[in-house]
Amino acid sequence: MATPVLELERVSKYFGDFPAVQELSFSVPAGCIFGFLGPNGAGKTTSLRMILDILRPTTGSITILGHPSALKVRDRVGYLPEEKGLYKKMKAWSVIAYFASLKGVPGAKAKRTAHELLERHGLGDFAEARTDTLSKGMSQKVQVLASIAHDPELVILDEPFSGLDPLNQGVLEELVLDLKARGRTVIFSTHVMQHAERMCDRLLVLARGRKCFEGSVVEARRLLIPKVRLSAVGDLRALEALPTVAALNHLGPGEWEIILRAGADPQSVLSACFTLGLPLTSFHATQPSLHDVFVHLVGAEVATEDP
Amino acid sequence: MHRTLLVARREFLENVRTKGFWLSIIIFPLLISLSAVIPAFLARKATPTRTFAVADASGHYEPLIAAAVRSGDGRRSNRMTGPPSTPLPARTRFHLAPLPAGLKSDMDLATLEHQLRPLLVSQGTNALFAAVLIPRDFGPGSTNAVRYWCANQADSGLRDLIERTLRTEFRREEYTRQGFDPALVTRTEALQVPIADLNPTKAVGTERVGLADQIIQWAPSLFVYLLWIAIFAVSQMLLNSVIEEKSNRLIEVLLSSITPTQLMMGKLFGIAAVGLVMLGAWLGSIFTVALWQTRAAAAVATAGSGLSELPQALVGLFQGTWLLPAFAFYFLCGYVLYAAVFLTIGSLCNTIKDAQNLMGPLMIILMVPLFLMPFIPRDPNGPLASFLSWIPLYTPFVMMNRVSAHPPLWEVVGTTIVLLAFIVFLLWACGRIFRLAILRTGQPPRILELLRWVTETKSS
């Protein structure tokens, strides 16, 4: 793996006595889409603010683009905060150009980029509109564009999908995927699993300020115990002896359910059936959704915290 | 520095684009020029000619009143000395009407008043503004009063005219009775006492106190008022610009792009520039109106000595060594200082309403120099002036009043350093509060909490 774009090492943040984030360590490789998942109050926004050095961690260290503080690499990072707002009296293009120029883009180029971005994302007709006349979806798009107008290497989006209709969510997904295609790194936080599942290369799940998972979507799915449902003319009890099988249940005439061991591949059951010559009529491996994984992880975490 | 200018540019352009800015730019000169024109206009046009009647049973005083009305005494009567009254304006203020038909001066007082009364309250063409009844035995030492009948108690012009005319006549009669020549009395009354004002601090040969010195004496007050106006012109903009970014949560995007100090400096310069443009426009318009008025006055009056001295005096003031630069310096310092105070208040608050609660105490602080201003110049290097100079919030106001009195150099340097340090501290502190305010939405913080925020170590 190339040098990570971002690396956190045992980062904790206390507000008074309240631990918002505890002992958080993870790293984000370059060029990936990194999902930041967790229920409300899990510490997502606090972590992102620490990454941007808007807040300073109580303990631990953060390395971003090779520097200990995001303030040193401000111009190479784009940020969309959770609570969104714009200058009400400014025109759409000038807001984007202003934020780009604050990130070091020269005036004329900032203006040109702003118009290009608006045009490319279907807001060309609204470039001259004052932002308080835009719909919520449009102004959120303008804010996202403002956060990427300086073409940052690392884009951090806090809850970018919240409040958008499915159509605009789709547009935003494309935008994020496009950033990745151009070699940029995107970190976004969400509590909507479908986005994470579709887009993320890697995930971090936070609950109560602690990390409870870091890895790929496939790895996340493996956390859940996979089940296989089988229909067969004959008896399938022979499968019980397989090392990947934890239990075999006879549900009814010709209907079976196999509970696999954690991390086991359902394909192992199918290939065993062929080897053993078992007469299958149907094979259905249920793929656990990220949502199931999330509930499993977060629920477990909550359970251990509340005895 | 570059990004500070970007912030300043945005703040300037955004505020200059508001309707409010252009309204204030236009309304103020409009008011000034109107205030120069309107009273004269009103005096000329809006006050109608007052028609009145005199029933003079003595027969002696009516011609004097008639002469006073004809001479236009009502307009320029207060000038006891100087050139003779200017010619009558096109429209006379008073008109002495003959008594209505059937009435005679020597009629019974009760009958006359009974007959005149309806005319005094009527609105018709033969209506009277006032009626003046002079008793038969009226004269110096008389206990019998002139009876002045008038429904309008607010416009006392006519009453004053009559009183003045009769008093002058009483005096003349009395002087004559005592055996004085009235012409001698007039000459005696016109005598003046020449006083030459000399100032020992000025160079030999130029000690004479002229108009320029008077202007220099008034200049600090002018600058103090200018400073006040300038501060108030932009105070709302300063508060708004910080509070908007806090309530919109733009604060996070901004702080991921620039440092809080850059942001605050940018706001300060941008909005201060708006205020200076406004002030410049106002001063320009006042100057234009003043020039126009002076020219108009010069066209009417014979070239007065005071007027020809004015341009020289102004030149003298500008050449007046370091006084003007000193005023300008303290003006700018005071302006930046209070702008920083308003930014700090803005950074403490999430809504304009919160900010207004904090404005009350600040207003009181700002009133103090206005109340103390008359006392500072009387004892410019006394303990009060000296003490106040060391309070940064008052340094600009007080020092403006003190510079022409040559305060001790160490005080000038010391207070200026304290002032500049305080400005830097304020900018740093409000940037810091602004940054820490990300964590806070809701009520403004309590004082203790505030102190903790500001004093918290940089690493927190």
Side-chain angles (χ1 to χ4, degrees):
Chain A
M1 198 195 293
T3 25
V5 172
L6 174 70
E7 197 160 25
L8 272 76
E9 212 166 319
R10 304 190 59 170
V11 169
S12 300
K13 176 73 188 179
Y14 286 81
F15 294 118
D17 292 331
F18 175 75
V21 174
Q22 288 180 78
E23 297 284 318
L24 180 61
S25 304
F26 67 90
S27 65
V28 178
C32 80
I33 298 179
F34 190 89
F36 228 70
L37 311 184
N40 294 330
K44 297 185 298 264
T45 297
T46 303
S47 302
L48 294 182
R49 283 174 179 173
M50 283 193 288
I51 291 167
L52 287 153
D53 206 9
I54 293 172
L55 291 179
R56 295 214 169 85
T58 313
T59 57
S61 70
I62 296 173
T63 309
I64 180 166
L65 298 171
H67 288 265
S69 163
L71 303 184
K72 297 265 182 284
V73 287
R74 277 190 175 108
D75 296 353
R76 295 161 64 193
V77 180
Y79 176 45
L80 175 77
E82 182 185 13
E83 290 172 85
K84 284 130 192 126
L86 288 170
Y87 291 106
K88 291 195 183 94
K89 307 285 176 205
M90 282 175 87
K91 290 173 180 176
W93 76 263
S94 71
V95 173
I96 297 174
Y98 177 58
F99 282 124
S101 68
L102 287 185
K103 295 278 194 182
V105 179
K109 193 184 169 205
K111 184 174 176 179
R112 203 171 57 239
T113 311
H115 281 287
E116 275 169 17
L117 281 172
L118 286 166
E119 197 66 49
R120 198 186 320 148
H121 294 96
L123 287 172
D125 295 340
F126 296 94
E128 296 292 333
R130 262 172 39 171
T131 63
D132 57 356
T133 64
L134 298 178
S135 72
K136 188 178 176 197
M138 287 192 231
S139 66
Q140 198 156 327
K141 262 199 244 176
V142 170
Q143 287 162 64
V144 173
L145 297 180
S147 68
I148 60 164
H150 57 296
D151 197 18
E153 291 161 55
L154 172 62
V155 185
I156 297 175
L157 310 169
D158 199 353
E159 299 282 357
F161 298 101
S162 71
L164 291 181
D165 62 37
L167 196 71
N168 278 310
Q169 289 184 0
V171 173
L172 186 54
E173 270 185 37
E174 273 172 39
L175 192 149
V176 171
L177 292 170
D178 177 55
L179 284 171
K180 183 196 168 184
R182 289 191 292 121
R184 309 292 176 243
T185 310
V186 182
I187 299 174
F188 73 88
S189 78
T190 183
H191 50 254
V192 183
M193 293 308 131
Q194 289 90 314
H195 300 300
E197 195 158 22
R198 271 200 297 271
M199 299 162 66
C200 291
D201 302 306
R202 287 184 76 75
L203 295 173
L204 179 86
V205 182
L206 276 179
R208 302 218 156 194
R210 287 176 183 280
K211 176 170 91 171
C212 43
F213 174 77
E214 183 193 357
S216 67
V217 176
V218 176
E219 284 166 343
R221 286 207 184 100
R222 282 205 200 116
L223 290 176
L224 273 199
I225 296 157
K227 292 174 187 169
V228 181
R229 288 191 76 161
L230 302 162
S231 306
V233 185
D235 198 326
L236 297 180
R237 273 177 229 281
L239 291 172
E240 226 167 349
L242 284 176
T244 52
V245 174
L248 179 76
N249 301 319
H250 191 202
L251 300 174
E255 293 290 323
W256 303 81
E257 182 188 63
I258 289 174
I259 298 172
L260 294 168
R261 290 187 194 281
D265 187 352
Q267 291 297 322
S268 63
V269 175
L270 192 60
S271 58
C273 286
F274 282 117
T275 338
L276 295 170
L278 295 173
L280 290 185
T281 52
S282 82
F283 176 91
H284 183 70
T286 49
Q287 177 83 298
S289 71
L290 196 56
H291 179 80
D292 299 331
V293 179
F294 184 69
V295 170
H296 167 76
L297 284 169
V298 171
E301 175 75 13
V302 170
T304 56
E305 296 253 322
D306 293 318
Chain B
M1 192 61 202
H2 168 61
R3 309 214 176 165
T4 303
L5 291 179
L6 284 171
V7 176
R9 185 166 153 262
R10 194 198 80 88
E11 294 290 348
F12 181 81
L13 290 177
E14 286 305 304
N15 282 299
V16 162
R17 272 184 204 142
T18 57
K19 289 188 199 81
F21 173 80
W22 290 103
L23 278 178
S24 10
I25 285 257
I26 292 163
I27 282 181
F28 187 75
L30 209 65
L31 280 179
I32 290 285
S33 29
L34 285 184
S35 73
V37 173
I38 289 263
F41 176 81
L42 285 182
R44 212 178 316 132
K45 299 273 176 181
T47 316
T49 302
R50 304 298 199 187
T51 303
F52 69 107
V54 174
D56 181 9
S58 75
H60 175 58
Y61 296 101
E62 189 181 341
L64 296 171
I65 293 172
V69 167
R70 270 198 309 278
S71 77
D73 180 48
R75 289 198 80 76
R76 295 193 163 250
S77 52
N78 284 335
R79 294 188 61 165
M80 299 307 279
T81 56
S85 304
T86 46
L88 258 183
R91 202 165 163 164
T92 45
R93 254 186 98 186
F94 305 114
H95 170 61
L96 176 56
L99 282 172
L103 294 183
K104 286 204 160 58
S105 314
D106 51 0
M107 283 168 81
D108 174 45
L109 209 62
T111 320
L112 271 173
E113 288 182 351
H114 181 72
Q115 298 280 327
L116 286 169
R117 212 171 165 137
L119 298 174
L120 286 164
V121 292
S122 105
Q123 303 286 331
T125 46
N126 58 347
L128 288 176
F129 174 74
V132 184
L133 291 94
I134 302 174
R136 194 180 312 278
D137 58 347
F138 185 70
S142 156
T143 51
N144 252 347
V146 168
R147 294 170 73 83
Y148 179 77
W149 286 80
C150 182
N152 185 335
Q153 301 296 311
D155 185 356
S156 64
L158 178 62
R159 191 186 179 282
D160 294 344
L161 171 80
I162 287 164
E163 190 188 352
R164 211 160 40 236
T165 309
L166 296 182
R167 187 173 52 230
T168 311
E169 178 55 17
F170 271 24
R171 288 183 180 167
R172 198 192 59 79
E173 283 175 33
E174 190 60 18
Y175 284 133
T176 315
R177 203 171 65 79
Q178 299 283 348
F180 293 106
D181 174 10
L184 178 72
V185 171
T186 311
R187 276 204 305 280
T188 315
E189 278 182 348
L191 284 178
Q192 287 191 337
V193 181
I195 295 182
D197 294 297
L198 299 165
N199 188 340
T201 61
K202 297 178 76 182
V204 176
T206 65
E207 298 96 331
R208 188 148 200 144
V209 177
L211 189 59
D213 301 276
Q214 283 175 6
I215 290 176
I216 286 179
Q217 213 195 328
W218 283 106
S221 309
L222 178 75
F223 273 89
V224 168
Y225 282 116
L226 271 185
L227 180 52
W228 244 79
I229 294 170
I231 289 168
F232 280 94
V234 295
S235 63
Q236 207 62 35
M237 293 178 203
L238 289 160
L239 289 178
N240 278 337
S241 86
V242 183
I243 292 172
E244 183 190 18
E245 280 161 10
K246 280 184 70 184
S247 59
N248 270 355
R249 311 301 289 169
L250 282 162
I251 176 173
E252 282 187 63
V253 185
L254 289 168
L255 294 186
S256 69
S257 310
I258 48 175
T259 67
T261 313
Q262 280 176 328
L263 182 67
M264 289 298 152
M265 296 277 278
K267 283 181 179 300
L268 188 82
F269 290 141
I271 299 176
V274 176
L276 290 181
V277 167
M278 214 184 264
L279 203 65
W282 291 348
L283 285 180
S285 59
I286 292 174
F287 187 70
T288 313
V289 169
L291 206 71
W292 171 56
Q293 285 259 309
T294 314
R295 279 220 192 112
V300 170
T302 47
S305 55
L307 279 176
S308 56
E309 204 187 326
L310 192 67
Q312 282 174 1
L314 284 176
V315 170
L317 185 62
F318 277 95
Q319 286 174 339
T321 60
W322 44 276
L323 275 183
L324 198 72
F327 288 148
F329 171 77
Y330 283 115
F331 173 84
L332 285 177
C333 281
Y335 188 51
V336 170
L337 170 74
Y338 279 94
V341 169
F342 280 102
L343 281 179
T344 312
I345 290 181
S347 69
L348 285 170
C349 303
N350 290 307
T351 62
I352 284 290
K353 213 175 154 194
D354 290 342
Q356 271 153 3
N357 289 338
L358 286 172
M359 290 286 281
L362 185 67
M363 284 300 116
I364 295 170
I365 291 174
L366 264 168
M367 292 302 275
V368 172
L370 286 194
F371 289 134
L372 291 176
M373 216 163 50
F375 303 103
I376 307 284
R378 283 186 208 167
D379 191 8
N381 292 321
L384 176 73
S386 211
F387 172 71
L388 287 176
S389 305
W390 289 97
I391 303 174
L393 285 172
Y394 298 140
T395 308
F397 291 106
V398 178
M399 287 312 273
M400 273 185 196
N401 277 298
R402 292 185 67 190
V403 274
S404 54
H406 304 286
L409 185 67
W410 67 272
E411 264 191 57
V412 176
V413 175
T415 55
T416 306
I417 289 173
V418 172
L419 172 65
L420 293 176
F422 189 67
I423 293 174
V424 171
F425 166 76
L426 269 182
L427 280 176
W428 172 79
C430 70
R432 189 159 177 77
I433 295 169
F434 187 76
R435 192 185 129 100
L436 288 160
I438 293 182
L439 301 176
R440 258 195 97 91
T441 45
Q443 288 302 302
R446 284 160 294 143
I447 295 283
L448 275 178
E449 213 173 340
L450 196 64
L451 284 176
R452 192 162 48 77
W453 280 7
V454 175
T455 53
E456 240 173 49
T457 51
K458 187 99 176 139
S459 64
S460 72

